[in-house]
């Protein structure tokens, strides 16, 4: 079944071969999402990962990581604001594995309900304690840690998004990827730069959680406090980079741009009204960026990373878009 998480190659950059290997595990549980034209926004196509069985791209990394676990794995633990926890619970249940998810107390109810529906056990803590609590449970419960982004297997799984984009779009000028912990941007960047080096990979963050932009500008990982990052409506972008994802972004991402809260809110409404896609705020980051900066980006693909949004918030954002 491959190696377990935590081996001594943890800090290596993933390769195209890693991503291609992950693709077989991903194909067993994930949907191959199409590229949808968004002519209302110019030269833009959308990669709607909100259409995945768990409503987000996270199913890819979860599938690749669990496929790499030993047959004797007693169960898994992670920390997540929702999408990774739901994905891991979904894939773990298919393997008959116990799954424990440490969840920040600010996580949207739609996401906590969805995680519980997979059979995952939730441990609710303040946002600043999510990683330390997962580590404690790893040791006290004898579980294997499957982090939401900080491991090559997870990054390789997310990189299959890039494989699919280039199999359909050949060589777009620009690929836009949301950035939270950086796993998706790391994997997509590795795949795109291996197959189409001329294609620009641009990460997108909220202005209120712009640790990746800060990190690349300063040339080393910069950690923003949870008090700072939890101000953004884009809950999936509140996590900060790890050393591993910073190394990938430094190697494979050309630029990080930021968008405002108002721009994120507007993009959610526009995606629903103009492309009939339900996107959570984090998933709308790339569309917001294209609307703000995209005139110079040419033929562009934007990853809509997830669609697990609270119904009341979606209704509010739809009303604001009228």
């Amino acid at each position: 079944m491959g190696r377990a998480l935590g081996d001594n190659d943890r800090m290596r950059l993933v390769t195209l071969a890693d991503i291609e290997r992950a693709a077989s595990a991903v194909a067993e549980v994930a949907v191959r999402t199409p590229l949808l034209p968004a002519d209302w926004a110019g030269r833009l196509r959308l990669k709607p990962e909100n259409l995945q069985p768990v409503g987000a791209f996270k199913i890819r990394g979860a599938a690749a990581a669990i496929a790499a676990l030993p047959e004797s794995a007693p169960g898994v633990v992670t920390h997540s604001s929702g999408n990774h926890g739901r994905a891991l619970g979904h894939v773990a249940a298919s393997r008959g594995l116990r799954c424990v998810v440490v969840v920040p107390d600010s996580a949207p109810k739609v996401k906590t309900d969805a995680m519980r529906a997979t059979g995952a056990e939730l441990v609710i803590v303040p946002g600043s304690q999510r990683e330390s609590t997962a580590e404690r449970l790893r040791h006290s419960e004898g579980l294997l840690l499957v982090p939401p982004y900080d491991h090559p297997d997870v990054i390789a799984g997310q990189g299959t998004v890039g494989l699919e984009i280039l199999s359909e779009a050949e060589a777009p000028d620009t690929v836009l990827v949301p950035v939270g912990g950086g796993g998706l941007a790391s994997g997509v960047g590795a795949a795109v730069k291996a197959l189409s080096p001329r294609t620009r990979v641009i990460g997108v963050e909220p202005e209120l959680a712009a640790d990746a932009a800060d990190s690349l500008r300063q040339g080393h990982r910069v950690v923003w406090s949870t008090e700072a990052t939890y101000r953004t409506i884009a809950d999936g972008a509140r996590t900060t980079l790890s050393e591993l994802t910073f190394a990938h972004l430094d190697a494979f991402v050309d630029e990080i741009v930021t968008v405002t809260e108002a721009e994120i809110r507007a993009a959610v409404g526009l995606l629903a009204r103009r492309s009939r896609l339900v996107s959570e705020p984090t998933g709308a980051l790339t569309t917001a960026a294209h609307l703000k900066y995209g005139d110079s980006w040419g033929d562009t693909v934007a990853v809509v990373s997830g669609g697990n949004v609270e119904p009341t918030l979606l209704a509010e954002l739809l009303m604001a878009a009228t």
Side-chain angles (χ1 to χ4, degrees):
M1 289 296 295
R3 67 188 186 285
L5 298 180
D7 287 347
N8 59 11
D9 65 348
R10 187 178 179 87
M11 280 300 297
R12 71 178 180 84
L13 299 186
V14 302
T15 65
L16 181 60
D18 295 324
I19 297 168
E20 290 173 338
R21 279 194 296 270
S24 59
V26 170
E28 293 180 5
V29 294
V31 172
R32 183 183 177 91
T33 54
L35 293 186
L36 303 178
D39 296 338
W40 54 270
R43 297 178 64 188
L44 178 66
R45 284 175 285 179
L46 305 170
K47 178 71 168 168
E49 288 293 291
N50 58 314
L51 301 180
Q52 290 295 346
V54 298
F57 75 95
K58 292 286 191 176
I59 195 170
R60 297 172 181 269
I66 285 185
L69 295 177
E71 292 283 2
S72 60
V76 292
V77 61
T78 193
H79 56 90
S80 171
S81 63
N83 287 341
H84 175 67
R86 181 181 181 184
L88 192 67
H90 179 86
V91 181
S94 71
R95 281 272 307 268
L97 289 173
R98 180 187 178 197
C99 178
V100 179
V101 185
V102 180
V103 181
D105 54 14
S106 61
K109 185 175 184 297
V110 68
K111 293 187 176 182
T112 57
D113 288 349
M115 284 186 279
R116 288 192 175 99
T118 69
E121 304 166 35
L122 271 57
V123 178
I124 311 295
V125 300
S128 60
Q129 298 176 20
R130 53 187 279 178
E131 293 188 38
S132 60
T133 303
E135 279 290 341
R136 176 176 59 79
L137 290 170
R138 173 189 183 185
H139 294 290
S140 64
E141 300 286 326
L143 302 170
L144 295 177
L145 180 66
V146 181
Y149 50 85
D150 189 28
H151 195 279
D153 292 330
V154 175
I155 291 171
Q158 318 306 24
T160 60
V161 172
L163 289 185
E164 291 180 12
I165 289 172
L166 291 182
S167 71
E168 188 170 344
E170 295 186 2
D173 296 310
T174 305
V175 172
L176 302 177
V177 193
V179 179
L184 179 60
S186 294
V188 170
V192 169
K193 289 301 183 182
L195 294 170
S196 179
R198 61 166 292 275
T199 298
R200 286 174 55 79
V201 178
I202 299 178
V204 187
E205 287 183 301
E207 284 186 357
L208 297 183
D211 63 289
D214 203 1
S215 297
L216 292 188
R217 183 168 54 249
Q218 297 195 38
H220 61 86
R221 186 171 74 106
V222 176
V223 177
W224 284 30
S225 69
T226 54
E227 291 77 16
T229 62
Y230 275 59
R231 296 173 298 163
T232 181
I233 192 175
D235 60 284
R238 292 170 180 165
T239 49
T240 60
L241 300 181
S242 67
E243 291 290 353
L244 179 62
T245 55
F246 169 73
H248 280 79
L249 267 59
D250 190 45
F252 301 125
V253 171
D254 294 282
E255 183 183 2
I256 305 284
V257 300
T258 62
V259 290
T260 67
E261 296 299 291
E263 290 161 347
I264 298 167
R265 288 172 173 269
V268 172
L270 286 168
L271 283 167
R273 290 186 174 277
R274 303 300 298 273
S275 287
R276 293 153 302 278
L277 291 176
V278 173
S279 173
E280 60 194 78
T282 307
L285 286 171
T286 53
T287 299
H290 186 269
L291 292 170
K292 184 175 185 177
Y293 304 107
D295 288 347
S296 64
W297 286 344
D299 177 27
T300 299
V301 174
V303 179
V304 180
S305 57
N308 296 317
V309 58
E310 286 281 7
T312 53
L313 176 58
L314 178 61
E316 173 193 332
L317 298 178
L318 284 173
M319 289 298 294
T322 58

